[in-house]
Structure formats: C-alpha cells, structure tokens
Amino acid sequence: MLDQETIRTFLTVAETASFSKAAERLHKTTATISYRIKLLEESTGVPLFQRTTRSVLLTTAGIHLLERSKEWLAWLDAMPGELKQINDGVERQVNIVINNLLYEPAAIATLLAHLVARFPLTQFTLSRQIYMGVWDALLHGDFSLAIGVSGTETLSETISLLPLGEIDWVFVLAAHHSLAHETGPLNEAKLRQYPAINIEDSARHITKRVAWRLTGQKEIQVSDLSTKIAAHVAGVGIGFLPRKLCQRYLDSGELVTRTIPAMRPPSPLSLAWHHAQAGKAALEIVRLFEENASTIQGFLTPLNSGNKLAE
C-alpha cells in the first residue's frame, strides 16, 4: 500500500541499502522495516529489492519507484505552502515573455532574484520573442506579462499597458565596409548591392513585422540581436540597430552611421499584462516598473533617455 509512511520506509532502505540501517534511522525494528517492504512488494506485485546476505539492492522496478517516490514526497511537502499561496492570491506559475531588444541576462537574473525571494513557491518561466512575437505570446500563449510589447496602445481590452520608452534606431555600416567610404548620398541603388542583416519576427498567429529590406535586396536572417550586431561589425551586411546597444562600437569606430532615404523612426515599447488575471507575483513586476525600481533598470538600458520611467 502506497501510504506516506511506507514510501518513506522504502526510500530509507533504498538510500541505506540495508534493512537494519534503515531501522536505526527510522527508530524502528528491523523486522518492522522488512515487513513493510514485503507488504509494499505484495501490493505492487513486483520485487523492488534484490536481497543478499550483505546488501539490499534496488531492482529496475525499484529504481523507477524511487524516482517517483521522491517526486511524490516533494509534492506532498510543498502542498501546504502551495495551497496557502493560492489562497493568498499568489500564482503557482508566472510565464514572462521578453522582447529580444530588452533581453539582457544580468537584468533577468536581478529580477528573478527579487521575485524568488518574495515568492519562493512560484514557478517562473521566461521566453524571448522578437517584434510582434511578444504580442503573439501574450495574446495566444500562456503568458502573464510581457516586457517590451511594441507600441503604446493595447491590442486587447483585457491587457493593460505601461509605456517604457523608445528604441532609437541608427543605420550602421562596418568602418571597413565599401559604403562607409562613399562620399555621396546612399541611394537605394547603392544600398541594394549589399545584404540586409535581419532577425525574423517570431509571431505565429498575428501579422509579422517586416524588417528593413529593399525590393530585390538580398537578406541574411540571424537568430538574435547579438549575432546581428556581430554581423554588422564584421561587415557582412547593412541595416538598422538600436543606438544604445551598438554605441560601444560607434565609440570605438568599428561601426559608423549613415543617413539613407527612409530612416527608421523610433519604436515605442511597453510593459503589458492581463489585468483581470494578474496575481501578486505579476503585479509585483508591474509595481517595480511603475516605481522605476533599481531591480528593473537593466531592462531599460536600450531605451532612450526620454522614456517615461527615466523622467
């Protein structure tokens, strides 16, 4: 019978590989321990231990039960706290989607450290999405909150927004790129000769945003912003980058900026959350952004100085 005391007895025998040692640890007689294991094997219908004169070893079925028993006991131990947490309005699971432009490991670690300390029983899961893929995840995925949806107007009445600021874009070239030495205007005919470096929008259910690329121009798609920046520095192609994220390369002279006929306007980004479904953990994140807390400053680095939270 798989009651809690029997499972704990089984685990102790498995850990000590001995009925007598398990008896000592549990303050029972060896006969009691042996009897409980015998009843457990009879109720499951399979041998769980190989007994020798010197040791007790788990069978294959015993190894499987050992793994499941640890999970079961951990669940039982955590259940009182989880039930209290649910009763107090704290979510068991909070899924957060982050815009690729604001995805910074150190910023994420700082936020998680704060959240885990406040809500130790909540499971936090993070996803990185690109452009309209952030909205897509929030609208069509199981996500509670998004850091960096595009725009300042909500796409659903059930979602609240807090403007975070704008991404300021610059058109960049590697300092050694052929176009960097052009003295005249960079018209479309000249630009079209070189590939545009882009990251594909990750949206699946709503219309993808079209990245900068001229008609007939070759495009090279990369998986993330770090790779895109590296490709620009290497002179692989041309295109737009967030000014603050490539400023170090502009300062070092590895990248240079140029003006082209159609410059990319700034991109406003916002924090977004399901206001009717938000529990205490999600609302804590909202509070941190509303109060411009030090905990979330790393997410704001790519945004221009005119953003709402920096005022």
Side-chain angles (χ1 to χ4, degrees), residues 173-174 176-182 194:
L173 306 165
H176 60 274
H177 195 280
S178 300
L179 288 179
H181 306 292
E182 289 278 345
Y194 303 94

Side-chain angles (χ1 to χ4, degrees), residues 12-41:
T12 306
V13 174
E15 291 171 357
T16 60
S18 167
F19 289 125
S20 59
K21 291 180 180 178
E24 290 178 10
R25 181 180 297 183
L26 297 174
H27 306 290
K28 304 286 185 181
T29 65
T30 302
T32 299
I33 299 299
S34 180
Y35 180 69
R36 280 194 174 276
I37 297 301
K38 179 183 177 182
L39 289 180
L40 177 60
E41 290 179 321

Side-chain angles (χ1 to χ4, degrees), residues 115-259:
L115 294 174
V116 170
R118 289 288 303 274
F119 310 102
L121 297 178
T122 298
Q123 175 71 42
F124 293 97
T125 301
L126 287 87
S127 171
R128 173 168 51 181
Q129 298 296 329
I130 299 163
Y131 302 127
M132 294 305 292
V134 184
W135 267 118
D136 198 321
L138 191 62
L139 292 172
H140 301 285
D142 187 23
F143 286 87
S144 310
L145 180 141
I147 302 175
V149 295
S150 59
T152 56
E153 295 184 5
T154 184
L155 298 187
S156 170
E157 293 181 355
T158 65
I159 294 177
S160 296
L161 292 187
L162 174 69
L164 299 179
E166 295 180 335
I167 295 290
D168 186 21
W169 299 94
V170 288
F171 187 84
V172 298
L173 306 165
H176 60 274
H177 195 280
S178 300
L179 288 179
H181 306 292
E182 289 278 345
T183 56
L186 295 181
N187 56 41
E188 290 191 0
K190 291 180 180 179
L191 295 171
R192 194 175 287 111
Q193 299 176 40
Y194 303 94
I197 307 297
N198 287 319
I199 309 170
E200 184 181 7
D201 192 313
S202 61
R204 294 184 298 171
H205 301 93
I206 59 180
T207 303
K208 293 176 181 284
R209 175 194 166 278
V210 179
W212 179 82
R213 181 169 69 90
L214 301 172
T215 302
Q217 184 182 23
K218 178 182 177 181
E219 180 182 49
I220 298 175
Q221 288 192 347
V222 296
S223 61
D224 55 49
L225 191 59
S226 296
T227 306
K228 176 172 164 59
I229 293 174
H232 283 293
V233 172
V236 174
I238 58 178
F240 287 92
L241 285 175
R243 178 182 291 277
K244 288 206 170 183
L245 295 183
C246 69
Q247 189 62 53
R248 55 178 287 203
Y249 299 101
L250 297 175
D251 293 341
S252 69
E254 295 173 86
L255 290 177
V256 296
T257 63
R258 290 292 183 269
T259 300

